[in-house]
Amino acid sequence: MSDLSQDPGLGPGTQNAPVNSRTLPAAPEGRSSEFVAVTGAEAESTSATAMLVTAYALFWVLLLGFAWMTWRRQQRLADRLNQIELRVANIDTGEKK
Amino acid sequence: MRNHVSHWAAFLTLMCTATLTALFFAVALYAPLAQPEAGGISQKIFYFHVPAAYALYLCGAVCCVFSAAYLIRPTSSNNAWARGAAECAVYFGLVVLTSGPLWAKKAWGVYWTWDPRLTTLLLSVLIYASVVVLRVFAGDGDAERRFASALGVLGTVNLPIVHLSVRKWGGNHPTVITRGGGGIAPEMRHVLLLGFLAMTVLALLLLWIRARNARLNDRIRELEDQLSLSDLYD
């Protein structure tokens, strides 16, 4: 319990958190035989590093997604420009004939 | 002129790559760990969460200025900048709204809470998203553009409320770098300033690309209309 509460990655509320049954030995007498209501914050078990990495990855995923959407739009504009060029070329050819 | 534009684009892209790379290494290697109550190592989300919020304000301000300008003087350029700025505001809003909850999970114990700043920011992002959706699905006529511009101005009116919400209504958000706050360590301040620089350059680059894209779209539509008219008369 003391090791868990001193982890610098853990958030507030862990100092007074209830004992996590997963940290206890799995002896039959150590298992929960009932569930009782407790007050105070739930023990935080998610890794702070995982949160940081996920947030940073999401930033890049969103940026690359935005860049990809911009590129797609640019491609569509290039296609429309090609269509215009073709139509103008056809008009020019028709006028020359 | 074309050469000048490509130089400007190359400069912004280089600056953006350099500052984002520097920010990555500064966050990983230079920025010290914060106290466990602030989220421990997850507090490092702060270095791009807060600058992204600032970039959202920047894009919102650009959207407001050009939307108002379009309402006064409806030009293609004003419309393009207003449209591009709303799109960028949604992007930075999504960065803030995805990075914040991950930090909050460690610092507050929950991903989301109806804190005044979170709620007002969500409202702002939803308004900018509605501007984007309106422009995509409701056509691109003058009436639709005016309606989207009015919505863009209204979305920005909410931004000062987002900023002042912590001071006025409290909530869970820390007040370390605002007035009355305890401040941050010098190394943290350096990395935060780098974050602001990186997000400013990124916002300028994205704004410029999206506005240019929208302007090009207008010019192509004008050419298509002219060609259709000439087909009609032929």
Side-chain angles (χ1 to χ4, degrees), chain B residues 208-222:
Chain B
W208 183 76
I209 290 173
R210 296 300 283 202
R212 205 170 146 72
N213 206 301
R215 182 85 181 90
L216 198 60
N217 185 47
D218 279 359
R219 289 180 69 183
I220 290 174
R221 180 167 295 156
E222 282 168 18

Side-chain angles (χ1 to χ4, degrees), chain B:
Chain B
M1 178 65 186
R2 195 175 172 154
N3 208 19
H4 172 73
V5 167
S6 60
H7 281 155
W8 175 236
F11 170 73
L12 272 182
T13 310
L14 269 176
M15 275 288 288
C16 192
T17 311
T19 50
L20 283 177
T21 309
L23 179 64
F24 172 77
F25 283 108
V27 168
L29 306 172
Y30 180 68
L33 280 180
Q35 72 274 30
E37 290 75 19
I41 195 171
S42 69
Q43 181 270 348
K44 291 188 175 197
I45 291 173
F46 166 74
Y47 302 112
F48 59 93
H49 172 77
V50 176
Y54 149 77
L56 164 66
Y57 290 176
L58 184 70
C59 295
V62 172
C63 182
C64 181
V65 167
F66 283 96
S67 295
Y70 184 81
L71 291 173
I72 296 163
R73 195 163 157 263
T75 63
S76 174
S77 175
N78 285 339
N79 178 62
W81 279 98
R83 182 179 183 151
E87 291 165 348
C88 293
V90 173
Y91 163 68
F92 284 109
L94 286 176
V95 170
V96 176
L97 289 176
T98 51
S99 59
L102 291 166
W103 180 16
K105 179 66 179 159
K106 293 307 300 180
W108 302 343
V110 288
Y111 285 108
W112 183 267
T113 173
W114 294 101
D115 169 89
R117 177 166 278 180
L118 280 175
T119 311
T120 49
L121 184 86
L122 178 66
L123 268 177
S124 266
V125 176
L126 287 176
I127 292 174
Y128 288 120
S130 63
V131 172
V132 173
V133 169
L134 180 73
R135 285 180 181 275
V136 170
F137 293 107
D140 200 24
D142 185 54
E144 287 84 3
R145 285 180 174 192
R146 281 178 178 277
F147 193 74
S149 298
L151 207 52
V153 173
L154 284 174
T156 309
V157 169
N158 196 36
L159 290 182
I161 299 173
V162 176
H163 191 71
L164 296 172
S165 57
V166 172
R167 212 175 299 164
K168 292 284 175 194
W169 302 310
N172 296 1
H173 261 84
T175 54
V176 286
I177 53 170
T178 49
R179 199 170 53 190
I184 55 176
E187 295 93 339
M188 290 180 174
R189 188 178 299 115
H190 299 154
V191 182
L192 182 64
L193 288 174
L194 183 61
F196 280 125
L197 177 68
M199 290 299 164
T200 305
V201 177
L202 179 63
L204 287 177
L205 179 66
L206 293 177
L207 273 171
W208 183 76
I209 290 173
R210 296 300 283 202
R212 205 170 146 72
N213 206 301
R215 182 85 181 90
L216 198 60
N217 185 47
D218 279 359
R219 289 180 69 183
I220 290 174
R221 180 167 295 156
E222 282 168 18
L223 284 173
E224 285 171 342
D225 288 347
Q226 283 175 16
L227 275 172
S228 301
L229 275 177
S230 67
D231 284 353
L232 209 66
Y233 287 122
D234 290 345

